[in-house]
Amino acid sequence: MYTLSRLAWKKFPSASASPLVWKQQEQLKNVSLFRSLQSSANASLKEILGEKIQEMREEVQEVRHAVGSQVLGSCTVDQAYGGMRSVKSMTYETSLLDPNEGIRFRGYSIPECQKLLPGIKQGGEPLPESLLWLLLTGEIPSVQQVEALREELSSRANLPDHVKKTLNSVPISLHPMAQFSIGILTMQSDSVFAKEYARGAPKNKLWEYCLEDSLTLIARLPQVAAIVYRNTYHQGKQMEADLKLDMAARLTKLMGFQNPEFDELMRLYLTIHADHEGGNVSAHSVRLVGSALSDPYLAFSAGMNGLAGPLHGLANQNVLTWLLQVKEKLGGQSPTKENLTKICWETLNSGNVIPGFGHAVLRRTDPRYTCQREFALKHLPNDEIFQLVSLLYEVVPKVLAEQGKVSNPWPNVDAHSGTLLRYYGVKEMTFYTVLFGVSRALGTLSSLVWDRALGLPIERPKSVTTRWIKENMVQAQQKVSG
Ligand code: NMX
Ligand code: MLT
């Protein structure tokens, strides 16, 4: 039997005893973005969500009543063959991507999140727990709320033995993302959602069970990731979990690191990779599989299988592999714009993409790249690989623009993350996408809770064959043109 979430009932105590140092109250006094924090500082996550869901259900009804029959987007034949690029055909509440400005989490840009979301120290990076609260509720959390959520996640973090046994028995020749996905599926035995659905739970209650599973899943992912890491690269010697720590620090300790600066990087990392609106492969896979009322474990594992592709999350692994190849090709020469331009052309001419550059939606430098660059400028300005990345920022967009194929020559999030991880000692590139996956749980599972709250139906877009297009469109056009 599962135990009901303490969040369901818990009111939050005063933050005065919190070990966390909170920057937000000071900063927020005069900020107009600061919407509803003060009024709800003592409400529980589930209370707030319950209220928001009620409001949102009404809002969606009103919107559908007002404009339900209007066209949101249309789809050309090229778009149907072209990965449905830019076709507006779904709603997704937790984040929105602007092609020029980049991602906003519930309306807040990354710099705004860095300012407003509670961190562990003055001027520090946001806690991923803070972002999770924001994504779920749409509100900047109070100090007490983040601390309570941290405690709640810690209380759910222990892995069942059968999950450890399964992870310890898979061959380490399996890619870490495949191991990670297996670990997630193995936890499915604890799905409250699946049990309650089988017992006949009504549709309007499903979000509560989805929330239960999502919180448990998010809480346990650091340990799943760390077991994969320690098994694959450290002979299976596992580290003890410290449940007093925040999610990011718990993860780095479980991986075997003891470095407060690396903990700060991990807070930033887990925050910025969390969500990227609804159409990217991982988010859309979670949404799609979840729409069949598959439970959050099944849905999230599907998302991770998509994240593991080289055009999506695996690009972070490929970027560092490529950077090290570039370094090798330089053969001891200092990198210059000239020799890097030549190497970029060699990559393109051999039929490969330059990993970490380009994007399906973005048309400028990814703000997730920019904030990582700022972190590097502050903490590792003299690192050799960072300097190479910096110089490539001046070279690659020019080369890609000259080649003339790409819609966006600018760097994305993956162009930078491996350099930072490597600097702090995570040199095993094949592990990088797992860290992306731990973070992506925050956004995709928050969104899944909302999918169930809004009662979104099973996804089933209509497909057509090329023959159908010929018979219904090509021939019709030929008739018109005589
Ligand atoms: N290097 C070389 N060619 C590229 C690149 C690149 N970085 N980006 C796009 N192209 C090519 C692309 O392969 C396509 O070629 P073709 O017509 O021969 O098929 C052409 O440019 C047009 O593609 P776009 O419309 O610019 O990009 P699309 O929306 O199809 O794909 C990506 C977006 C991200 C898949 C693509 O830019 C890419 O492959 N980038 C490198 C891999 C990468 O960094 N992925 C990570 C994305 C972020 N994430 O974490 O998921
Ligand atoms: C992501 O973070 O999901 C990537 O940038 C890919 C995307 O948004 O399409």
Side-chain angles (χ1 to χ4, degrees):
M1 235 351 234
Y2 62 89
T3 49
L4 267 173
S5 162
R6 288 187 293 125
L7 280 173
W9 321 113
K10 194 172 172 185
K11 295 274 184 185
F12 300 112
S14 144
S16 54
S18 165
L20 307 178
V21 178
W22 303 100
K23 55 192 170 182
Q24 72 170 164
Q25 267 122 353
E26 282 305 295
Q27 288 165 337
L28 286 180
K29 277 178 196 147
N30 299 316
V31 178
S32 59
L33 281 168
F34 176 31
R35 296 193 288 231
S36 49
L37 169 61
Q38 299 301 343
S39 60
S40 57
N42 291 317
S44 79
L45 178 64
K46 200 163 174 189
E47 278 168 351
I48 294 176
L49 260 175
E51 264 174 42
K52 298 266 165 194
I53 285 168
Q54 198 42 45
E55 282 166 25
M56 191 66 190
R57 282 176 177 163
E58 285 164 22
E59 203 175 322
V60 170
Q61 259 188 352
E62 280 165 27
V63 166
R64 293 185 69 169
H65 181 71
V67 291
S69 59
Q70 288 186 26
V71 175
L72 175 66
S74 56
C75 183
T76 63
V77 171
D78 275 345
Q79 284 170 312
Y81 280 108
M84 294 177 280
R85 204 71 78 256
S86 307
V87 178
K88 289 196 190 80
S89 58
M90 61 168 100
T91 60
Y92 188 88
E93 308 298 340
T94 49
S95 64
L96 182 67
L97 184 61
D98 179 87
N100 297 312
E101 211 196 17
I103 195 67
R104 279 183 179 266
F105 302 121
R106 292 283 190 178
Y108 296 99
S109 68
I110 287 178
E112 283 165 357
C113 285
Q114 285 178 297
K115 263 200 206 114
L116 301 177
L117 288 175
I120 202 109
K121 63 178 185 192
Q122 207 75 39
E125 302 298 344
L127 282 158
E129 290 87 342
S130 311
L131 182 79
L132 175 59
W133 187 287
L134 172 65
L135 292 170
L136 277 167
T137 66
E139 290 184 358
I140 299 283
S142 70
V143 170
Q144 302 95 306
Q145 288 166 333
V146 179
E147 174 58 9
L149 182 53
R150 187 201 63 72
E151 267 181 30
E152 177 71 29
L153 294 177
S154 286
S155 75
R156 293 167 180 256
N158 280 328
L159 280 189
D161 277 348
H162 76 275
V163 179
K164 294 182 193 163
K165 275 193 198 133
T166 304
L167 285 170
N168 291 342
S169 68
V170 298
I172 58 168
S173 56
L174 267 186
H175 190 278
M177 280 303 278
Q179 296 185 48
F180 188 54
S181 185
I182 288 171
I184 292 160
L185 280 180
T186 310
M187 293 192 280
Q188 193 270 348
S189 54
D190 283 352
S191 174
V192 174
F193 184 97
K195 286 189 190 92
E196 289 297 334
Y197 187 81
R199 279 162 45 155
K203 195 173 171 190
N204 68 358
K205 296 274 280 177
L206 289 180
W207 72 267
E208 297 185 26
Y209 310 124
C210 186
L211 177 66
E212 275 295 324
D213 281 1
S214 297
L215 291 176
T216 304
L217 192 38
I218 289 167
R220 289 176 176 177
L221 286 178
Q223 194 169 7
V224 174
I227 291 178
V228 171
Y229 183 71
R230 301 291 305 179
N231 279 351
T232 310
Y233 315 106
H234 295 276
Q235 296 81 41
K237 285 189 203 123
Q238 303 299 334
M239 316 302 283
E240 276 295 302
D242 183 346
L243 298 176
K244 291 191 293 308
L245 297 175
D246 60 284
M247 185 179 173
R250 179 155 57 86
L251 171 58
T252 61
K253 299 291 171 301
L254 278 166
M255 287 170 64
F257 296 92
Q258 298 271 359
N259 179 350
E261 205 174 281
F262 182 38
D263 295 346
E264 272 295 87
L265 171 69
M266 193 54 75
R267 291 182 191 111
L268 177 68
Y269 186 103
L270 294 183
T271 297
I272 63 175
H273 287 78
D275 211 21
H276 220 229
E277 74 172 27
N280 68 72
V281 171
S282 48
H284 193 200
S285 307
V286 175
R287 147 77 59 92
L288 174 67
V289 174
S291 83
L293 299 186
S294 305
D295 63 61
Y297 296 90
L298 298 171
F300 186 64
S301 166
M304 291 303 94
N305 298 338
L307 192 72
L311 297 188
H312 193 16
L314 201 80
N316 62 6
Q317 162 184 327
N318 292 346
V319 166
L320 206 68
T321 309
W322 183 72
L323 289 172
L324 298 181
Q325 281 165 4
V326 169
K327 202 168 161 264
E328 206 178 300
K329 281 191 176 182
L330 288 171
Q333 282 176 64
S334 302
T336 61
K337 287 186 188 170
E338 292 68 37
N339 57 26
L340 290 182
T341 300
K342 187 167 164 278
I343 292 173
C344 288
W345 275 111
E346 280 167 18
T347 300
L348 291 178
N349 292 337
S350 64
N352 291 301
V353 296
I354 299 185
F357 287 79
H359 201 273
V361 180
L362 284 167
R363 293 296 172 259
R364 297 269 163 80
T365 297
D366 190 337
R368 300 173 297 179
Y369 175 93
T370 308
C371 71
Q372 293 183 88
R373 177 172 165 75
E374 280 160 8
F375 190 97
L377 284 167
K378 188 164 157 199
H379 297 286
L380 44 137
N382 300 321
D383 178 67
E384 193 191 358
I385 301 291
F386 169 58
Q387 290 184 348
L388 178 60
V389 167
S390 278
L391 198 53
L392 283 164
Y393 190 18
E394 296 179 43
V395 169
V396 179
K398 285 196 182 120
V399 172
L400 288 175
E402 197 182 323
Q403 190 203 29
K405 277 207 310 187
V406 298
S407 314
N408 168 35
W410 299 104
N412 61 55
V413 65
D414 298 318
H416 218 304
S417 52
T419 302
L420 299 173
L421 293 171
R422 187 172 190 276
Y423 176 79
Y424 290 106
V426 189
K427 301 214 160 116
E428 302 86 357
M429 279 104 72
T430 51
F431 186 68
Y432 291 172
T433 314
V434 174
L435 294 173
F436 193 156
V438 173
S439 170
R440 194 43 60 108
L442 305 177
T444 57
L445 292 172
S446 297
S447 179
L448 195 65
V449 171
W450 276 93
D451 292 353
R452 297 292 72 78
L454 298 177
L456 300 192
I458 188 164
E459 277 199 6
R460 180 51 173 96
K462 175 82 184 86
S463 63
V464 295
T465 58
T466 298
R467 184 182 177 144
W468 185 97
I469 294 177
K470 281 166 101 176
E471 287 171 359
N472 290 276
M473 299 176 77
V474 179
Q475 287 168 15
Q477 187 171 300
Q478 282 165 352
K479 270 190 200 148
V480 172
S481 52

